Every structure is written in structure tokens, then in C-alpha cells.
Amino acid sequence: MAISARDIISTAFRDIPVPKSGDGPIIVAVSGGSDSLALLFLAKAWIEGQGRNAGGVLHAVTIDHGLRPEAAAEAGYVAGVCAGIGVLHTTLAWEGAKPAFGLPDAARRSRYALLDQFAHDIGTETILTGHTLDDQAETVFMRMMRPAGEGDGRGLAGMARKTWLYGGTCIHRPLLSISRQTLRDYLAGFPQGWIEDPTNRDESYERVRVRTLLRSNPSLAAKALALADVSGRMRNVMARDCADWLDLNTNVEPGPVYEIRAAARLALEGSGPARISPVAEHAIQVLVALAGGREHMVPRRRLRPLYDMLTIPGPGRMTIGGAVIEKQASKIAFYREVRNLGSLLLEPGEAAIWDGRLHLFNESP
């Protein structure tokens, strides 16, 4: 029996703000697969449950990665579904050369960049994506299998329900606690089918191999999700304490330049490898990522030379993760390394994210 939208919406949309009059539309990322189509129908039911016209609030977006000849037709199929339910639809294309290696990660980055830019173009800050409980288990399991020392364990919390992109746009994942099978049972009540992407059966991709493994070993998926729950709570505590530490001990100057004030207690100690408090260390990881324009934080092991420099009297400077860290008499400054800076040409009225750090507008003629 098909599951009603009400049963899912009460959980899925509990922390997504209801758009007010004058707000920009909510973007719904729809590929045509079962997860994203379910998201589209659920979002429509949610908006209409608020007494609003979904056609005036939702804007479906499909990304054509240009990787398969069927992609354009699939985007057309989604456009037809959206037209049938009265939701505006736009297809965005990932143009240019595609990498020979790391294609899934490159496609993900391009997808978010296109969604982020489109959100700014239409004046919204809210994007919904169809990641499910199954996706969460796969993500955490893949991170569990990474070699020791590649990260600091934060990734074991999995995907967050909310993630902010470069320009302040917020990605919401309302279906993250709902299984794919539940969504497909819900879709049974609709006449439309969904698209099965053939790459989801291509075991040359790590995620597909992990998906196959977890389907045949449900207990492994359950353990990955339990780990994500514990790790997520630990990550929230660390993030809260880190935010307090940054508020007390840092300044931001034009550039932007991030500065740790000299009075900050980094708690460096010992004559061997320098030790530092976990909260201060996390704060430094945040500052390096912000200054260097990086999506992820550098591993803790890469910060050891920095701690050695900070324990030596006198000024010093080094580069980590695209950021220059400069020890001065009154502060420790973090700013962008000049090397590898790309150029950006903006026509009048255009805007874009530059260097992963700054949202730039050309308001001149």
C-alpha cells in the first residue's frame, strides 16, 4: 500500500522554513530518479499544505552533466512531469571538458556550483536535494574505509541535513532519515515512473560497489548509520565550542585576513611534537580552510609543522592548504596564498563565486 505524504512530510520538512510572501522560490534538485521525484511531489504537497500555490514557490532544476547521450531526454522528461503538476522547471548544463579521473567528485562539485549560482540568479537561498537514508549509510561506510590518517574523523558524521554553499545558499536534505524503499512505496501512488540511471549499476564506481554490499548486508548499513549518529553529536559539540573560541580569540580584516589575537591560549606544550587543545586545533583548521578557499579542512597531521613554528621565538611564516600562516608579534594571520589564483571576467550585472571564497558582483556599467 502506498504511503501518504503526510506521514513523511511531518519528519522530512520539520526544520525547513516555510517561505513567506516576497521570499525567493525554493529550488528542488530533480534528476528524474525515484528519490528526487519523490522529493518533488512531497515538496509540492508540503507547500500546498501551507495554503500556498506550489507553482509560485517551487522551482525544479535538473543538471545535465553532459556525460550520457540520454541525459538531455531525461531532463526533458523531468520538465514534462513538472509541467504536468504546475511547477516551473529549468535545466542547467555542466559545460566544458570533463576530467579523466575523479569524475563523480567533479560532477558533484559542478552540480553544487551550478545550483549555487542559479540560486543567486533567481534570488533564493534554499535548495532541496533528495539524499536518502541509503545514501547516508553509503557515504559513512565509504569514509570508514578510507586509510587511517587521511582525515580527522569528522566525515564519519555523514551528510548534514543542512549545508551552506559558498555564497550563503543553504542545501537542505529533508529525506536523509527516510529509506529509498519508503520513497518508492510512496511513488506507487503516482502515474509517473522514474528514471534508472545506468551508472547506478556500473561497479567501476566505489559508491555502486558499496551500495551492492550494503544491500546484501543490512547489518553493515545499520552500524554505519549508528556511527554517523554518534559522530554527528560529537561534531555538533565541537562545532559549538569552536565557534565560541573563534568569537573570543579572532578578528577578520579586509582581504579577508583572519587573525588570532596574541592573547589567545593555544595551549602549545611539550618539547617533542607540539600539543594543542582540540578546540583550538579545530579553529585553526577552520581558519586555514576559510583563508585558502578550500571545501574541506586539512588533516590534523599537516598542522604539526605549524605548531613547531609557533613554539619557536620570533616571527615565522608557512603555507598550508592554500593559506599563508604568518606569526607576528601581536597576532597570527591567515590569508590566501597568491599562487594559483584564477582570473574572473564579469559582464555588467553578472555575479559569480571566485576562488571558492568570495561572491563577486559587477554592478558597474
Side-chain angles (χ1 to χ4, degrees):
M1 183 175 66
I3 298 175
S4 72
R6 184 180 302 175
D7 296 333
I8 303 175
I9 288 173
S10 60
T11 297
F13 295 87
R14 67 181 185 274
D15 55 356
I16 299 177
V18 177
K20 301 180 179 64
S21 179
D23 288 349
I26 293 175
I27 293 174
V28 185
V30 185
S31 67
S34 60
D35 305 343
S36 63
L37 276 182
L39 174 64
L40 174 65
F41 296 141
L42 288 164
K44 181 175 183 291
W46 169 60
I47 291 297
E48 291 174 346
Q50 311 300 320
R52 301 288 300 278
N53 172 17
V57 177
L58 301 179
H59 193 136
V61 173
T62 303
I63 307 297
D64 181 354
H65 295 91
L67 300 175
R68 296 182 294 110
E70 307 92 342
E74 292 169 357
Y77 173 76
V78 175
V81 172
C82 291
I85 62 174
V87 172
L88 191 62
H89 176 269
T90 298
T91 298
L92 303 176
W94 180 23
E95 299 175 338
K98 308 302 189 288
F101 302 99
L103 187 58
D105 186 58
R108 179 186 61 84
R109 291 171 183 269
S110 74
R111 187 160 56 246
Y112 283 142
L114 287 167
L115 288 169
D116 193 22
Q117 186 59 60
F118 186 72
H120 285 288
D121 290 343
I122 66 172
T124 185
E125 297 180 350
T126 304
I127 300 170
L128 308 183
T129 66
H131 295 98
T132 67
L133 189 67
D134 302 72
D135 295 315
Q136 182 76 298
E138 294 159 12
T139 296
V140 174
F141 189 86
M142 288 190 294
R143 292 175 181 176
M144 287 168 55
M145 295 299 102
R146 296 286 186 268
E150 281 195 4
D152 53 18
R154 295 177 69 254
L156 295 179
M159 294 178 283
R161 280 183 61 88
K162 290 193 285 188
T163 302
W164 278 263
L165 299 179
Y166 299 129
T169 306
C170 186
I171 295 281
H172 293 263
R173 301 181 177 94
L175 307 182
L176 206 54
S177 61
I178 300 170
S179 72
R180 180 167 293 118
Q181 188 57 55
T182 297
L183 296 175
R184 292 187 172 188
D185 291 344
Y186 163 69
L187 285 177
F190 293 85
Q192 291 92 353
W194 58 80
I195 296 167
E196 292 285 3
D197 186 341
T199 60
N200 289 332
R201 299 189 296 272
D202 184 351
E203 296 207 352
S204 65
Y205 294 111
E206 179 188 18
R207 183 174 289 274
V208 176
R209 296 194 300 272
V210 168
R211 182 170 300 161
T212 301
L213 174 65
L214 296 184
R215 280 175 181 167
S216 60
N217 295 271
S219 63
L220 286 180
K223 289 176 181 177
L225 291 169
L227 177 60
D229 180 62
V230 173
S231 299
R233 282 182 275 143
M234 293 174 61
R235 180 170 170 168
N236 286 340
V237 171
M238 177 61 77
R240 179 201 64 199
D241 293 348
C242 176
D244 291 342
W245 193 96
L246 289 167
D247 189 47
L248 287 171
N249 296 295
T250 61
N251 300 321
V252 182
E253 301 293 341
V257 177
Y258 305 92
E259 300 173 345
I260 296 178
R261 294 188 285 272
R265 296 180 58 85
L266 292 179
L268 291 166
E269 58 188 31
S271 57
R275 297 279 185 180
I276 188 171
S277 73
V279 173
E281 181 171 55
H282 187 53
I284 289 175
Q285 288 178 294
V286 169
L287 294 175
V288 169
L290 288 171
R294 299 302 173 92
E295 182 180 358
H296 300 291
M297 298 183 192
V298 297
R300 291 171 179 163
R301 57 181 171 76
R302 292 192 58 194
L303 297 177
R304 291 170 190 161
L306 170 64
Y307 304 149
D308 293 337
M309 180 187 78
L310 295 178
T311 58
I312 299 173
R317 182 168 60 183
M318 67 180 1
T319 301
I320 300 174
V324 177
I325 301 99
E326 186 171 342
K327 182 177 67 166
Q328 303 172 9
S330 60
K331 61 191 176 185
I332 304 168
F334 297 73
Y335 52 89
R336 178 66 163 91
E337 183 184 17
V338 176
R339 186 180 59 173
N340 298 327
L341 282 174
S343 60
L344 178 65
L345 176 64
L346 292 178
E347 298 293 337
E350 284 190 339
I353 303 296
W354 177 73
D355 194 43
R357 301 176 299 130
L358 302 177
H359 191 231
L360 302 182
F361 302 82
N362 180 6
E363 297 180 347
S364 76

